[in-house]
Amino acid sequence: MNEKIVIVPCSGIGKTYGTVSREAAYEVIEELRPESAQLVPLSMLVLGEENARAAVAASPAITIDGCKLACATKMVQESGGTIAQDFAVLDVFRRNRKLKPQGIAELNEGGQQLAHALAEEVAAVVDKLNGKVETGDEKLRSSAPCF
Amino acid sequence: MPNLPQKKVGIVACSGEEMAEGTVTRLAALKVLEELRPNETVTICLPLFLAGGEGDRAFARFYPTIAVDGCALRCAARATEQYSGKPAASVVVTDIVAERGIGPVAGLRRLNEAGQQAVAETAATVADLVDTLLDKKWSRREGRFLESEPVMQEEAVAKSAASCACGSGIPVQTVQVNGQQVTLIALPPLLAQFKQMGKRPSPETAAELLAQVKIYNDVPDAMESQYQEVLAQEYALFCAEGVAA
Amino acid sequence: MAEFLEYTLDKFTFKVATDRFYNPEGVWAKAEGNQVTVGVSDFFQQRNGDVAFAEVKDVGTAVAANDEFATIETIKVDVELPCPVSGTIAAVNEKLELEAEVINQDPYGEGWLAVIAAANWAADQANLMTPEVYFEHMKVQAQEEAENL
């Protein structure tokens, strides 16, 4: 199976959380796991765009939500996709309390570090999922978080 | 006493995360919301049309909207129309880039110089559209500007700013028109405002109320008299409840 | 009286529960005998954003009215909360430890912060705002702070 793992970040522009989620997603697809992860924009899922729906249907998705409304997770589910793991920026901040993000157009240092920490977590899940995809080992799927 | 919200313009950016033009839409929308027209604009999150339920769609129905799209797919404009109502205006970054001879836009996370120029041009275009929309009367039902008369400004809210759609709602009220349930956006604050202005229940007041209701709701021409009758009843009830309380 | 007073500004609607009293900072107090449950208002939680951490002083701690009894940290701000009542902290909402977002989800219910065994509730109550007075106070605050919402 050659499908890349799908990452769907929040697309909110009203709060810093959305920016953190996008920055983390970009870091994963551009730097950390460019060969094994791809980004699917939320707006296309909202529209029901065929290619976006096909992408989430073909591969487990990692969603990154900026707030409790969890748009990314809900939209992947609405689109018929499978959520491999859903991340919430607030929870990541709880695990990294010193990294307080600020800024929407441009993140402060804390926000960038928080995005990096989140990206590392997302990359780890990508690795686990790819392990599952390559080996067909069902045990790995069951051991991955939030299945 | 609730205030009737000041008429504002909702900005719906596609935010397309997979292309640099999507980044341009986000940054251009932010520039309008935070710098160029902070008191006249509201951000509407596209995914909230579905994830946030009816309340968020109501926001976009309540405000005239400008869809800001990165590419010809026009996700923001089409999804807004699909789930809420036709946007009052629509801009596409790739069109602006082509029309104004801006070079290739690149950089998902850090836009190149052309991308930054595209942000400035797109934001300026949107800001102009905001001004246009606030000066004209927009009919969602007909999807066009009505006559060029200035829109009567609602009771002004002293100060307000760009803000996110997450977690709040415009008051709505459900009424029966010809035996069918119809949800009217902004009716509760309109009733309260009319009462505060000392307007007595009467056919004239009902007509005025209808005119206000039509700003925020689609009222079919053929149904206006029925709507007016219902509004007269609702206003009389509203006033009577106040007296009883 | 209605369960809530509601105020809509721009695209935000703020609710004020009518069955309790408030201090100016938006901390509410609801008494059953001398057991006073305290929490934050809907306006407080919307203004300050999603709560990441909420820490209340330990059970058994004596607090005086207007003394800090809890701290709330959101991604936006850290806020120290003044206690609306004097007494001893009798219980702390255990949900806050792992699910502090309950404050945002249900500020007047499941998102309560603590129960205070009040030393003199009648005296404290006299210094708090009724829902109607807090409602007016909140409206002014909301208008002033609309830029940050």
Side-chain angles (χ1 to χ4, degrees), chain A residues 9-11 13-14 22-23 26-27 30-31 39 41-44 46-47 49 67 69 71 74-75 104-105, chain B residues 14-15 17-18 23 26-27 29-30 43 46-48 50-51 73 75 78-79 82-83 108-110 164 166:
Chain A
C10 162
S11 62
I13 60 171
R22 281 187 296 274
E23 185 67 22
Y26 287 145
E27 185 173 337
E30 288 185 343
E31 297 172 21
L39 196 149
L42 206 42
S43 55
M44 285 192 182
V46 173
L47 185 64
E49 200 271 336
C67 74
L69 294 173
C71 293
K74 287 179 185 170
M75 280 314 310
I104 299 173
Chain B
C14 85
S15 188
E17 287 83 14
E18 89 295 12
T23 302
R26 274 197 305 278
L27 295 178
L30 270 174
T43 175
L46 188 61
L48 288 180
L50 291 184
L73 198 55
C75 291
R78 291 165 62 196
Q82 190 172 333
Y83 296 111
L108 286 176
R109 299 160 79 182
R110 307 279 177 271
C164 178
C166 303

Side-chain angles (χ1 to χ4, degrees), chain A residues 13 16 20 32-33 35 43-44 48 59 64 67 70 86 88-89 91 93 106 109 124 127 129 133:
Chain A
I13 60 171
T16 190
V20 172
L32 301 181
R33 300 294 182 273
E35 303 301 324
S43 55
M44 285 192 182
S59 167
I64 310 175
C67 74
D86 55 331
V89 175
D91 289 338
F93 173 56
E106 196 161 343
E109 180 70 21
D127 291 345
L129 291 168
V133 169

Side-chain angles (χ1 to χ4, degrees), chain B residues 3 8 42-43 59 63 157 159 161 163 165 168-169, chain C residues 7-13 46 139 143 146-147 149:
Chain B
N3 284 331
K8 294 193 174 186
V42 173
T43 175
F59 280 127
Y63 299 106
V157 173
K159 199 175 184 184
S163 43
S168 57
Chain C
Y7 173 57
T8 299
L9 174 63
D10 197 0
K11 42 199 283 196
F12 295 88
T13 297
Q46 288 198 52
K139 282 161 70 172
Q143 286 166 4
E147 287 175 357
L149 288 173

Side-chain angles (χ1 to χ4, degrees), chain B residues 138-220:
Chain B
W138 168 258
S139 167
R140 282 197 170 280
R141 178 161 45 88
E142 297 175 33
R144 64 174 181 82
F145 290 112
L146 298 179
E147 65 279 9
S148 59
E149 68 192 42
V151 173
M152 183 173 64
Q153 285 294 313
E154 291 76 19
E155 181 183 25
V157 173
K159 199 175 184 184
S160 52
S163 43
C164 178
C166 303
S168 57
I170 296 294
V172 299
Q173 188 166 325
T174 302
V175 298
Q176 293 274 339
V177 182
N178 265 6
Q180 289 201 321
Q181 285 206 330
V182 177
T183 299
L184 293 178
I185 295 167
L187 181 56
L190 283 171
L191 294 175
Q193 183 192 36
F194 270 51
K195 189 177 174 193
Q196 191 189 41
M197 291 162 68
K199 291 183 181 294
R200 303 178 70 84
S202 69
E204 292 74 26
T205 299
E208 283 181 54
L209 198 49
L210 175 64
Q212 290 293 310
V213 164
K214 282 169 65 179
I215 293 175
Y216 303 106
N217 299 272
D218 288 340
V219 177

